[in-house]
Amino acid sequence: MTTLAPPAVRVQEPTTAKGGRSGSVVWMAIPALLMFVAFGIIPLLGVIALSFTTWDGIGDIHPSGLDSWTAALKDPGLPHAIWVTFEIMFISWLVQTPISIMIGVFLAATKKYRGFLAVLYFIPLLLSSAAISITYKALLDPNFGLGAGFGVDWLKQDWLGDSKLAIGVLIFVVSWQYIPFHSLIYQGAVRQIPTSMYEASMIDGAGRVRQFFSITLPQIKYTIITSSTLMVVGSLTFFDLIYVLTGGGPGDSTRALALEMYQKGFMANLMGPASCIAVILVLSGVVLAQLLRRLGGRGDESMQEGV
Amino acid sequence: MATVSVSGTPAPTRRRSPLAKLLRLNLFGGALGWVWLFIVMIPIYWIVITSFKTQANYFITNTFAPPSDPTFANYKEVIDNEIVRYFLNSVIVTVGAIVPAVLISFMAAYAIIRGIGNRFLRLTNSMFLMGLAIPLQAVIIPVYLIIIRLKLYDTLLAIVLPSIAFAIPLSVLVLSNFIRDVPKELFESMRMDGATEWGTLWRLAFPLTRPALVTVTIYNALGIWNGFLLPLVLTQSPDQRTIPLALVNFQGQFGVNTPAIAASVTLTTIPIVLLYAIGRRQLLSGLTAGFGK
């Protein structure tokens, strides 16, 4: 019986794979493929093409060689926008990661409140960035907001009127929105660590701190890579939040790449240079994702889970 | 103390700072968990109570005190400002994008799993995987160009089409992971019974992947409902406004009338919270299973 079964399966597999049958499923992939090519792949190639043209967004598109690239790269706004983007990216990663891991470890260990906390933690993810920004804008009002409410003078600052503070506010709001989500990811990862590992280390006399650094952290290594990839690549595309909360200001102090691209393209009608910024955005995302993948030392799997 | 051999890490001795020893880690994490809950809840609590205050009341009472004289006037004002229309627009865009998106993603995922070995399908799959890395922001200019060339500018369909496309990669990934887990024997017995692939898709794969379908639907629906960039770039007239864009407009229009702004935010959030309440279990388990490996 057992000797018969495997060959029977093996004979059938190639027929399903190469025979007429697979031909009958191919068409099912066509609608999704067409939609994705039309509004994903073609625009991706299009943005590269448009970066070598001059276009005001309304009239005709003129090929203009490297003109747009020269204009984009000469603009002092670009290095500034890159700097702002990476500043927000790095600091928000630095703030979110340890807090998320801590909360995730805690959530994984407590059965009692886990469900309750998970439900409430998810709420920020339900809200649109527009709604969140509007709420914080009102809440950070120096006269009627947080500071007045708690009666703490330190909170009564002109949060969105000072360049340094405005960046800080953005990082805080990003953390507010995403820490719960990353905590839940870590929580899931920590729960998959076999308890026998902790039991064995307990017999050997390892304390909690030791367990955390010797078991928990190494075991959730890939999750850290996944979560960091989401944070880092995601932060390249912060647009709604900055657009509504600070509008890039005060001055240009919070004008990150995505906003810089929007303003160049749709406000100043310089679609060519704006496309160059978009290409830079795509390249940064790909490079960063690859770097993090290398760091993880695992093939494309972590990348697949990562997004 | 051969403790760490169990964990498989090569470095057996770790520097332990006395401070770290003092902080019982679990306790610390626990405190952090509750503190963070407090931080998460403050703005939500504030926006809800403020929406029931009169404007005068808002300026004289403590920001965090509940309204002394609750009023629905702010909600009435928001409803009088065409919120129903914006709401319907958002419903049309979300439903109009999510139904075809999940359907065609499901078909593609099924084809990719059932047609393993087919070179065309393998190529399609890797294209979708690559698509995961394409941010919508980066391709918005060509999308805008395509939409004006299709003469769809300032219509809801202009938001729907790119929304479908950008929901596909993640949906296919999650759904194909689920279909892969369906035992091969089940497909085989369907085939023996003379079922076509189309029939197997609906009668076998569809019911078995329902949790994943719910996860993918809610996740993408949230993204589309809350989407800001596509409506901002691809529409213009107030008739075509979706909720997030309308909120930003209210903010300008209501000015210092913070309670009215609060009411607009609260009112537009209720449907998402309801949706979340219905599909919560599946969404949470689906997401943690998908990401936390």
Side-chain angles (χ1 to χ4, degrees), chain A residues 39 121-122 126-127 137 144 149 176 192 204 208 210 212 214 237 278, chain B residues 3 7 12 24-25 33 39 62-63 137-138 166 226 251 269 276 292:
Chain A
F39 291 97
Y121 268 14
F122 215 80
L126 303 176
L127 309 179
K137 218 172 169 177
F144 303 105
W176 183 85
Q192 285 178 355
D204 290 339
R208 279 212 166 107
R210 179 65 168 272
F212 176 76
S214 307
T237 59
Chain B
T3 52
S7 73
R24 293 272 305 275
L25 213 68
I39 294 175
N62 185 299
T63 308
Q137 282 83 349
F166 277 84
N226 289 333
Q251 190 205 12
T269 307
Y276 171 59

PDB file of all heavy atoms in Angstrom, chain A residues 39 121-122 126-127 137 144 149 176 192 204 208 210 212 214 237 278, chain B residues 3 7 12 24-25 33 39 62-63 137-138 166 226 251 269 276 292:
ATOM      1  N   PHE A  39      -1.702  49.669 -14.561  1.00  0.00           N
ATOM      2  CA  PHE A  39      -1.608  50.737 -13.557  1.00  0.00           C
ATOM      3  C   PHE A  39      -0.452  50.565 -12.575  1.00  0.00           C
ATOM      4  O   PHE A  39      -0.347  51.295 -11.604  1.00  0.00           O
ATOM      5  CB  PHE A  39      -2.938  50.866 -12.807  1.00  0.00           C
ATOM      6  CG  PHE A  39      -4.030  51.405 -13.673  1.00  0.00           C
ATOM      7  CD1 PHE A  39      -4.924  50.547 -14.298  1.00  0.00           C
ATOM      8  CD2 PHE A  39      -4.149  52.767 -13.903  1.00  0.00           C
ATOM      9  CE1 PHE A  39      -5.920  51.048 -15.122  1.00  0.00           C
ATOM     10  CE2 PHE A  39      -5.144  53.264 -14.721  1.00  0.00           C
ATOM     11  CZ  PHE A  39      -6.030  52.401 -15.338  1.00  0.00           C
ATOM     12  N   TYR A 121      -5.259  48.445  20.580  1.00  0.00           N
ATOM     13  CA  TYR A 121      -4.030  48.807  19.882  1.00  0.00           C
ATOM     14  C   TYR A 121      -4.240  48.989  18.392  1.00  0.00           C
ATOM     15  O   TYR A 121      -3.497  49.688  17.732  1.00  0.00           O
ATOM     16  CB  TYR A 121      -2.981  47.705  20.076  1.00  0.00           C
ATOM     17  CG  TYR A 121      -2.087  47.936  21.249  1.00  0.00           C
ATOM     18  CD1 TYR A 121      -2.415  48.878  22.203  1.00  0.00           C
ATOM     19  CD2 TYR A 121      -0.910  47.230  21.398  1.00  0.00           C
ATOM     20  CE1 TYR A 121      -1.597  49.093  23.283  1.00  0.00           C
ATOM     21  CE2 TYR A 121      -0.089  47.438  22.479  1.00  0.00           C
ATOM     22  CZ  TYR A 121      -0.438  48.374  23.418  1.00  0.00           C
ATOM     23  OH  TYR A 121       0.377  48.591  24.461  1.00  0.00           O
ATOM     24  N   PHE A 122      -5.235  48.304  17.886  1.00  0.00           N
ATOM     25  CA  PHE A 122      -5.407  48.317  16.443  1.00  0.00           C
ATOM     26  C   PHE A 122      -6.089  49.586  15.951  1.00  0.00           C
ATOM     27  O   PHE A 122      -6.018  49.910  14.779  1.00  0.00           O
ATOM     28  CB  PHE A 122      -6.208  47.091  16.011  1.00  0.00           C
ATOM     29  CG  PHE A 122      -5.782  46.545  14.696  1.00  0.00           C
ATOM     30  CD1 PHE A 122      -4.655  45.740  14.618  1.00  0.00           C
ATOM     31  CD2 PHE A 122      -6.462  46.843  13.530  1.00  0.00           C
ATOM     32  CE1 PHE A 122      -4.229  45.250  13.411  1.00  0.00           C
ATOM     33  CE2 PHE A 122      -6.038  46.346  12.310  1.00  0.00           C
ATOM     34  CZ  PHE A 122      -4.923  45.549  12.256  1.00  0.00           C
ATOM     35  N   LEU A 126      -6.863  51.975  11.968  1.00  0.00           N
ATOM     36  CA  LEU A 126      -8.122  52.079  11.235  1.00  0.00           C
ATOM     37  C   LEU A 126      -8.315  53.490  10.692  1.00  0.00           C
ATOM     38  O   LEU A 126      -9.080  53.702   9.767  1.00  0.00           O
ATOM     39  CB  LEU A 126      -9.297  51.767  12.155  1.00  0.00           C
ATOM     40  CG  LEU A 126      -9.293  50.418  12.847  1.00  0.00           C
ATOM     41  CD1 LEU A 126     -10.481  50.314  13.785  1.00  0.00           C
ATOM     42  CD2 LEU A 126      -9.362  49.311  11.812  1.00  0.00           C
ATOM     43  N   LEU A 127      -7.651  54.452  11.326  1.00  0.00           N
ATOM     44  CA  LEU A 127      -7.915  55.842  10.984  1.00  0.00           C
ATOM     45  C   LEU A 127      -7.077  56.270   9.793  1.00  0.00           C
ATOM     46  O   LEU A 127      -5.958  55.803   9.607  1.00  0.00           O
ATOM     47  CB  LEU A 127      -7.577  56.729  12.185  1.00  0.00           C
ATOM     48  CG  LEU A 127      -8.216  56.299  13.506  1.00  0.00           C
ATOM     49  CD1 LEU A 127      -7.786  57.228  14.625  1.00  0.00           C
ATOM     50  CD2 LEU A 127      -9.723  56.295  13.384  1.00  0.00           C
ATOM     51  N   LYS A 137      -3.414  68.118  14.960  1.00  0.00           N
ATOM     52  CA  LYS A 137      -3.269  69.550  14.722  1.00  0.00           C
ATOM     53  C   LYS A 137      -4.072  70.329  15.767  1.00  0.00           C
ATOM     54  O   LYS A 137      -3.591  71.311  16.326  1.00  0.00           O
ATOM     55  CB  LYS A 137      -3.766  69.881  13.318  1.00  0.00           C
ATOM     56  CG  LYS A 137      -2.932  70.922  12.624  1.00  0.00           C
ATOM     57  CD  LYS A 137      -3.357  71.053  11.186  1.00  0.00           C
ATOM     58  CE  LYS A 137      -2.716  72.265  10.558  1.00  0.00           C
ATOM     59  NZ  LYS A 137      -3.055  72.366   9.141  1.00  0.00           N
ATOM     60  N   PHE A 144      -5.392  75.725  23.555  1.00  0.00           N
ATOM     61  CA  PHE A 144      -6.555  74.939  23.964  1.00  0.00           C
ATOM     62  C   PHE A 144      -6.312  73.442  23.921  1.00  0.00           C
ATOM     63  O   PHE A 144      -7.207  72.657  24.148  1.00  0.00           O
ATOM     64  CB  PHE A 144      -7.754  75.279  23.077  1.00  0.00           C
ATOM     65  CG  PHE A 144      -8.103  76.717  23.080  1.00  0.00           C
ATOM     66  CD1 PHE A 144      -7.800  77.532  22.003  1.00  0.00           C
ATOM     67  CD2 PHE A 144      -8.721  77.284  24.197  1.00  0.00           C
ATOM     68  CE1 PHE A 144      -8.112  78.878  22.020  1.00  0.00           C
ATOM     69  CE2 PHE A 144      -9.030  78.626  24.215  1.00  0.00           C
ATOM     70  CZ  PHE A 144      -8.725  79.429  23.126  1.00  0.00           C
ATOM     71  N   GLY A 149      -4.870  71.194  28.686  1.00  0.00           N
ATOM     72  CA  GLY A 149      -5.666  70.112  29.262  1.00  0.00           C
ATOM     73  C   GLY A 149      -4.992  69.481  30.461  1.00  0.00           C
ATOM     74  O   GLY A 149      -5.618  69.242  31.490  1.00  0.00           O
ATOM     75  N   TRP A 176       2.894  56.790  17.045  1.00  0.00           N
ATOM     76  CA  TRP A 176       1.537  56.589  17.592  1.00  0.00           C
ATOM     77  C   TRP A 176       0.727  55.691  16.663  1.00  0.00           C
ATOM     78  O   TRP A 176       0.037  54.784  17.099  1.00  0.00           O
ATOM     79  CB  TRP A 176       0.844  57.947  17.731  1.00  0.00           C
ATOM     80  CG  TRP A 176      -0.515  57.871  18.342  1.00  0.00           C
ATOM     81  CD1 TRP A 176      -0.810  57.851  19.677  1.00  0.00           C
ATOM     82  CD2 TRP A 176      -1.768  57.800  17.655  1.00  0.00           C
ATOM     83  NE1 TRP A 176      -2.153  57.767  19.845  1.00  0.00           N
ATOM     84  CE2 TRP A 176      -2.780  57.740  18.636  1.00  0.00           C
ATOM     85  CE3 TRP A 176      -2.144  57.785  16.316  1.00  0.00           C
ATOM     86  CZ2 TRP A 176      -4.136  57.659  18.316  1.00  0.00           C
ATOM     87  CZ3 TRP A 176      -3.488  57.707  15.997  1.00  0.00           C
ATOM     88  CH2 TRP A 176      -4.476  57.645  16.985  1.00  0.00           C
ATOM     89  N   GLN A 192       5.707  32.202  18.818  1.00  0.00           N
ATOM     90  CA  GLN A 192       6.116  31.013  18.075  1.00  0.00           C
ATOM     91  C   GLN A 192       7.422  30.418  18.589  1.00  0.00           C
ATOM     92  O   GLN A 192       7.850  29.372  18.124  1.00  0.00           O
ATOM     93  CB  GLN A 192       6.252  31.358  16.595  1.00  0.00           C
ATOM     94  CG  GLN A 192       4.887  31.505  15.939  1.00  0.00           C
ATOM     95  CD  GLN A 192       4.988  31.889  14.485  1.00  0.00           C
ATOM     96  OE1 GLN A 192       6.071  32.134  13.977  1.00  0.00           O
ATOM     97  NE2 GLN A 192       3.854  31.928  13.815  1.00  0.00           N
ATOM     98  N   ASP A 204      18.915  26.000  33.680  1.00  0.00           N
ATOM     99  CA  ASP A 204      20.315  26.391  33.738  1.00  0.00           C
ATOM    100  C   ASP A 204      20.529  27.671  34.529  1.00  0.00           C
ATOM    101  O   ASP A 204      21.636  28.185  34.606  1.00  0.00           O
ATOM    102  CB  ASP A 204      20.875  26.574  32.323  1.00  0.00           C
ATOM    103  CG  ASP A 204      21.008  25.246  31.615  1.00  0.00           C
ATOM    104  OD1 ASP A 204      21.054  24.227  32.316  1.00  0.00           O
ATOM    105  OD2 ASP A 204      21.057  25.234  30.379  1.00  0.00           O
ATOM    106  N   ARG A 208      15.600  36.597  33.534  1.00  0.00           N
ATOM    107  CA  ARG A 208      14.713  37.098  32.479  1.00  0.00           C
ATOM    108  C   ARG A 208      15.463  37.916  31.449  1.00  0.00           C
ATOM    109  O   ARG A 208      15.228  37.806  30.259  1.00  0.00           O
ATOM    110  CB  ARG A 208      13.622  37.967  33.099  1.00  0.00           C
ATOM    111  CG  ARG A 208      12.501  37.173  33.686  1.00  0.00           C
ATOM    112  CD  ARG A 208      11.211  37.984  33.541  1.00  0.00           C
ATOM    113  NE  ARG A 208      10.058  37.143  33.797  1.00  0.00           N
ATOM    114  CZ  ARG A 208       9.325  37.231  34.898  1.00  0.00           C
ATOM    115  NH1 ARG A 208       9.630  38.092  35.837  1.00  0.00           N
ATOM    116  NH2 ARG A 208       8.289  36.448  35.063  1.00  0.00           N
ATOM    117  N   ARG A 210      18.635  37.780  30.739  1.00  0.00           N
ATOM    118  CA  ARG A 210      19.468  36.865  29.976  1.00  0.00           C
ATOM    119  C   ARG A 210      18.631  36.143  28.922  1.00  0.00           C
ATOM    120  O   ARG A 210      19.036  36.000  27.767  1.00  0.00           O
ATOM    121  CB  ARG A 210      20.106  35.876  30.954  1.00  0.00           C
ATOM    122  CG  ARG A 210      20.998  34.834  30.319  1.00  0.00           C
ATOM    123  CD  ARG A 210      22.215  35.508  29.683  1.00  0.00           C
ATOM    124  NE  ARG A 210      23.212  34.507  29.325  1.00  0.00           N
ATOM    125  CZ  ARG A 210      24.150  34.078  30.161  1.00  0.00           C
ATOM    126  NH1 ARG A 210      24.200  34.529  31.397  1.00  0.00           N
ATOM    127  NH2 ARG A 210      25.018  33.186  29.746  1.00  0.00           N
ATOM    128  N   PHE A 212      15.933  37.137  27.548  1.00  0.00           N
ATOM    129  CA  PHE A 212      15.531  38.077  26.508  1.00  0.00           C
ATOM    130  C   PHE A 212      16.632  38.242  25.464  1.00  0.00           C
ATOM    131  O   PHE A 212      16.378  38.151  24.263  1.00  0.00           O
ATOM    132  CB  PHE A 212      15.193  39.428  27.136  1.00  0.00           C
ATOM    133  CG  PHE A 212      14.851  40.487  26.130  1.00  0.00           C
ATOM    134  CD1 PHE A 212      13.610  40.484  25.495  1.00  0.00           C
ATOM    135  CD2 PHE A 212      15.756  41.483  25.800  1.00  0.00           C
ATOM    136  CE1 PHE A 212      13.289  41.451  24.567  1.00  0.00           C
ATOM    137  CE2 PHE A 212      15.448  42.450  24.868  1.00  0.00           C
ATOM    138  CZ  PHE A 212      14.211  42.436  24.256  1.00  0.00           C
ATOM    139  N   SER A 214      19.368  36.270  25.015  1.00  0.00           N
ATOM    140  CA  SER A 214      19.943  35.043  24.444  1.00  0.00           C
ATOM    141  C   SER A 214      18.932  34.189  23.693  1.00  0.00           C
ATOM    142  O   SER A 214      19.297  33.412  22.830  1.00  0.00           O
ATOM    143  CB  SER A 214      20.573  34.195  25.547  1.00  0.00           C
ATOM    144  OG  SER A 214      21.475  34.970  26.285  1.00  0.00           O
ATOM    145  N   THR A 237       7.389  56.909   1.955  1.00  0.00           N
ATOM    146  CA  THR A 237       6.165  57.326   1.271  1.00  0.00           C
ATOM    147  C   THR A 237       5.234  58.128   2.159  1.00  0.00           C
ATOM    148  O   THR A 237       4.084  58.331   1.808  1.00  0.00           O
ATOM    149  CB  THR A 237       5.412  56.103   0.734  1.00  0.00           C
ATOM    150  OG1 THR A 237       5.099  55.260   1.842  1.00  0.00           O
ATOM    151  CG2 THR A 237       6.245  55.331  -0.257  1.00  0.00           C
ATOM    152  N   ALA A 278      10.655  61.022  -8.168  1.00  0.00           N
ATOM    153  CA  ALA A 278       9.944  59.748  -8.022  1.00  0.00           C
ATOM    154  C   ALA A 278      10.882  58.569  -8.286  1.00  0.00           C
ATOM    155  O   ALA A 278      10.835  57.558  -7.568  1.00  0.00           O
ATOM    156  CB  ALA A 278       8.745  59.700  -8.970  1.00  0.00           C
TER     157      ALA A 278
ATOM    158  N   THR B   3      24.260  27.611  29.499  1.00  0.00           N
ATOM    159  CA  THR B   3      22.854  27.933  29.215  1.00  0.00           C
ATOM    160  C   THR B   3      22.573  28.192  27.757  1.00  0.00           C
ATOM    161  O   THR B   3      21.627  27.692  27.199  1.00  0.00           O
ATOM    162  CB  THR B   3      22.432  29.206  29.967  1.00  0.00           C
ATOM    163  OG1 THR B   3      23.388  30.210  29.654  1.00  0.00           O
ATOM    164  CG2 THR B   3      22.385  28.957  31.448  1.00  0.00           C
ATOM    165  N   SER B   7      19.969  28.067  23.083  1.00  0.00           N
ATOM    166  CA  SER B   7      19.393  29.068  22.191  1.00  0.00           C
ATOM    167  C   SER B   7      20.102  29.100  20.844  1.00  0.00           C
ATOM    168  O   SER B   7      19.613  29.708  19.910  1.00  0.00           O
ATOM    169  CB  SER B   7      19.486  30.450  22.844  1.00  0.00           C
ATOM    170  OG  SER B   7      20.825  30.876  22.813  1.00  0.00           O
ATOM    171  N   PRO B  12      28.408  33.075  24.343  1.00  0.00           N
ATOM    172  CA  PRO B  12      27.800  32.623  25.578  1.00  0.00           C
ATOM    173  C   PRO B  12      27.767  33.696  26.660  1.00  0.00           C
ATOM    174  O   PRO B  12      26.910  33.689  27.506  1.00  0.00           O
ATOM    175  CB  PRO B  12      28.682  31.445  25.997  1.00  0.00           C
ATOM    176  CG  PRO B  12      29.971  31.616  25.255  1.00  0.00           C
ATOM    177  CD  PRO B  12      29.800  32.668  24.219  1.00  0.00           C
ATOM    178  N   ARG B  24      13.095  44.435  35.893  1.00  0.00           N
ATOM    179  CA  ARG B  24      12.550  43.132  35.530  1.00  0.00           C
ATOM    180  C   ARG B  24      11.845  43.320  34.197  1.00  0.00           C
ATOM    181  O   ARG B  24      10.871  44.048  34.092  1.00  0.00           O
ATOM    182  CB  ARG B  24      11.540  42.690  36.592  1.00  0.00           C
ATOM    183  CG  ARG B  24      12.185  42.404  37.934  1.00  0.00           C
ATOM    184  CD  ARG B  24      12.638  40.964  38.012  1.00  0.00           C
ATOM    185  NE  ARG B  24      11.549  40.050  37.733  1.00  0.00           N
ATOM    186  CZ  ARG B  24      10.679  39.648  38.654  1.00  0.00           C
ATOM    187  NH1 ARG B  24      10.787  40.078  39.881  1.00  0.00           N
ATOM    188  NH2 ARG B  24       9.716  38.803  38.341  1.00  0.00           N
ATOM    189  N   LEU B  25      12.376  42.644  33.207  1.00  0.00           N
ATOM    190  CA  LEU B  25      11.995  42.989  31.847  1.00  0.00           C
ATOM    191  C   LEU B  25      10.497  42.908  31.582  1.00  0.00           C
ATOM    192  O   LEU B  25       9.899  43.765  30.959  1.00  0.00           O
ATOM    193  CB  LEU B  25      12.749  42.089  30.880  1.00  0.00           C
ATOM    194  CG  LEU B  25      13.057  42.809  29.600  1.00  0.00           C
ATOM    195  CD1 LEU B  25      14.060  43.912  29.836  1.00  0.00           C
ATOM    196  CD2 LEU B  25      13.559  41.837  28.589  1.00  0.00           C
ATOM    197  N   GLY B  33       3.480  48.688  27.960  1.00  0.00           N
ATOM    198  CA  GLY B  33       2.263  48.308  27.249  1.00  0.00           C
ATOM    199  C   GLY B  33       1.065  49.135  27.676  1.00  0.00           C
ATOM    200  O   GLY B  33       0.298  49.617  26.850  1.00  0.00           O
ATOM    201  N   ILE B  39      -1.372  56.413  25.820  1.00  0.00           N
ATOM    202  CA  ILE B  39      -0.987  57.354  24.765  1.00  0.00           C
ATOM    203  C   ILE B  39      -1.863  57.169  23.519  1.00  0.00           C
ATOM    204  O   ILE B  39      -2.290  58.130  22.887  1.00  0.00           O
ATOM    205  CB  ILE B  39       0.508  57.178  24.408  1.00  0.00           C
ATOM    206  CG1 ILE B  39       1.370  57.591  25.594  1.00  0.00           C
ATOM    207  CG2 ILE B  39       0.880  57.973  23.166  1.00  0.00           C
ATOM    208  CD1 ILE B  39       2.849  57.343  25.413  1.00  0.00           C
ATOM    209  N   ASN B  62     -11.860  72.570  30.477  1.00  0.00           N
ATOM    210  CA  ASN B  62     -10.632  71.809  30.263  1.00  0.00           C
ATOM    211  C   ASN B  62     -10.803  70.902  29.054  1.00  0.00           C
ATOM    212  O   ASN B  62     -11.856  70.296  28.859  1.00  0.00           O
ATOM    213  CB  ASN B  62     -10.328  70.979  31.513  1.00  0.00           C
ATOM    214  CG  ASN B  62      -8.998  70.264  31.392  1.00  0.00           C
ATOM    215  OD1 ASN B  62      -8.808  69.451  30.489  1.00  0.00           O
ATOM    216  ND2 ASN B  62      -8.086  70.573  32.284  1.00  0.00           N
ATOM    217  N   THR B  63      -9.742  70.826  28.239  1.00  0.00           N
ATOM    218  CA  THR B  63      -9.791  70.042  27.009  1.00  0.00           C
ATOM    219  C   THR B  63     -10.222  68.599  27.256  1.00  0.00           C
ATOM    220  O   THR B  63     -10.928  68.013  26.444  1.00  0.00           O
ATOM    221  CB  THR B  63      -8.392  70.021  26.368  1.00  0.00           C
ATOM    222  OG1 THR B  63      -7.939  71.347  26.253  1.00  0.00           O
ATOM    223  CG2 THR B  63      -8.421  69.375  25.005  1.00  0.00           C
ATOM    224  N   GLN B 137       3.011  56.360  -4.374  1.00  0.00           N
ATOM    225  CA  GLN B 137       3.467  57.755  -4.483  1.00  0.00           C
ATOM    226  C   GLN B 137       4.430  57.943  -5.641  1.00  0.00           C
ATOM    227  O   GLN B 137       4.409  58.956  -6.321  1.00  0.00           O
ATOM    228  CB  GLN B 137       4.188  58.179  -3.192  1.00  0.00           C
ATOM    229  CG  GLN B 137       3.284  58.513  -2.052  1.00  0.00           C
ATOM    230  CD  GLN B 137       2.852  57.279  -1.302  1.00  0.00           C
ATOM    231  OE1 GLN B 137       3.067  56.153  -1.746  1.00  0.00           O
ATOM    232  NE2 GLN B 137       2.214  57.481  -0.164  1.00  0.00           N
ATOM    233  N   ALA B 138       5.297  56.934  -5.835  1.00  0.00           N
ATOM    234  CA  ALA B 138       6.361  57.092  -6.825  1.00  0.00           C
ATOM    235  C   ALA B 138       5.841  57.048  -8.250  1.00  0.00           C
ATOM    236  O   ALA B 138       6.490  57.548  -9.162  1.00  0.00           O
ATOM    237  CB  ALA B 138       7.425  56.023  -6.616  1.00  0.00           C
ATOM    238  N   PHE B 166      -3.178  48.382  -7.265  1.00  0.00           N
ATOM    239  CA  PHE B 166      -2.249  48.375  -6.146  1.00  0.00           C
ATOM    240  C   PHE B 166      -2.687  47.465  -4.995  1.00  0.00           C
ATOM    241  O   PHE B 166      -1.940  47.266  -4.041  1.00  0.00           O
ATOM    242  CB  PHE B 166      -1.958  49.800  -5.677  1.00  0.00           C
ATOM    243  CG  PHE B 166      -0.898  50.432  -6.518  1.00  0.00           C
ATOM    244  CD1 PHE B 166      -1.220  51.039  -7.727  1.00  0.00           C
ATOM    245  CD2 PHE B 166       0.427  50.349  -6.139  1.00  0.00           C
ATOM    246  CE1 PHE B 166      -0.242  51.578  -8.529  1.00  0.00           C
ATOM    247  CE2 PHE B 166       1.412  50.880  -6.932  1.00  0.00           C
ATOM    248  CZ  PHE B 166       1.088  51.500  -8.132  1.00  0.00           C
ATOM    249  N   ASN B 226      -9.254  54.945   3.299  1.00  0.00           N
ATOM    250  CA  ASN B 226      -8.448  56.017   3.879  1.00  0.00           C
ATOM    251  C   ASN B 226      -7.535  56.698   2.868  1.00  0.00           C
ATOM    252  O   ASN B 226      -6.823  57.626   3.217  1.00  0.00           O
ATOM    253  CB  ASN B 226      -7.600  55.462   5.027  1.00  0.00           C
ATOM    254  CG  ASN B 226      -8.439  55.125   6.241  1.00  0.00           C
ATOM    255  OD1 ASN B 226      -9.494  55.711   6.441  1.00  0.00           O
ATOM    256  ND2 ASN B 226      -7.979  54.178   7.032  1.00  0.00           N
ATOM    257  N   GLN B 251     -11.726  70.975   7.644  1.00  0.00           N
ATOM    258  CA  GLN B 251     -10.798  71.608   8.557  1.00  0.00           C
ATOM    259  C   GLN B 251     -10.560  73.057   8.160  1.00  0.00           C
ATOM    260  O   GLN B 251     -10.501  73.938   9.011  1.00  0.00           O
ATOM    261  CB  GLN B 251      -9.488  70.821   8.559  1.00  0.00           C
ATOM    262  CG  GLN B 251      -8.546  71.231   9.637  1.00  0.00           C
ATOM    263  CD  GLN B 251      -7.123  70.912   9.262  1.00  0.00           C
ATOM    264  OE1 GLN B 251      -6.827  70.594   8.113  1.00  0.00           O
ATOM    265  NE2 GLN B 251      -6.251  70.985  10.225  1.00  0.00           N
ATOM    266  N   THR B 269     -15.297  58.001  11.112  1.00  0.00           N
ATOM    267  CA  THR B 269     -14.531  56.858  11.591  1.00  0.00           C
ATOM    268  C   THR B 269     -15.444  55.713  12.010  1.00  0.00           C
ATOM    269  O   THR B 269     -15.046  54.551  11.981  1.00  0.00           O
ATOM    270  CB  THR B 269     -13.641  57.277  12.779  1.00  0.00           C
ATOM    271  OG1 THR B 269     -12.870  58.399  12.371  1.00  0.00           O
ATOM    272  CG2 THR B 269     -12.703  56.184  13.191  1.00  0.00           C
ATOM    273  N   TYR B 276     -14.384  46.880  11.428  1.00  0.00           N
ATOM    274  CA  TYR B 276     -13.318  46.243  12.187  1.00  0.00           C
ATOM    275  C   TYR B 276     -13.896  45.311  13.243  1.00  0.00           C
ATOM    276  O   TYR B 276     -13.431  44.185  13.435  1.00  0.00           O
ATOM    277  CB  TYR B 276     -12.460  47.322  12.837  1.00  0.00           C
ATOM    278  CG  TYR B 276     -11.448  46.823  13.822  1.00  0.00           C
ATOM    279  CD1 TYR B 276     -10.474  45.911  13.432  1.00  0.00           C
ATOM    280  CD2 TYR B 276     -11.461  47.263  15.139  1.00  0.00           C
ATOM    281  CE1 TYR B 276      -9.532  45.466  14.340  1.00  0.00           C
ATOM    282  CE2 TYR B 276     -10.524  46.830  16.041  1.00  0.00           C
ATOM    283  CZ  TYR B 276      -9.566  45.919  15.651  1.00  0.00           C
ATOM    284  OH  TYR B 276      -8.644  45.482  16.545  1.00  0.00           O
ATOM    285  N   GLY B 292       4.301  37.433  11.062  1.00  0.00           N
ATOM    286  CA  GLY B 292       5.170  37.084  12.189  1.00  0.00           C
ATOM    287  C   GLY B 292       5.893  35.763  12.047  1.00  0.00           C
ATOM    288  O   GLY B 292       5.723  34.887  12.871  1.00  0.00           O
TER     289      GLY B 292
END
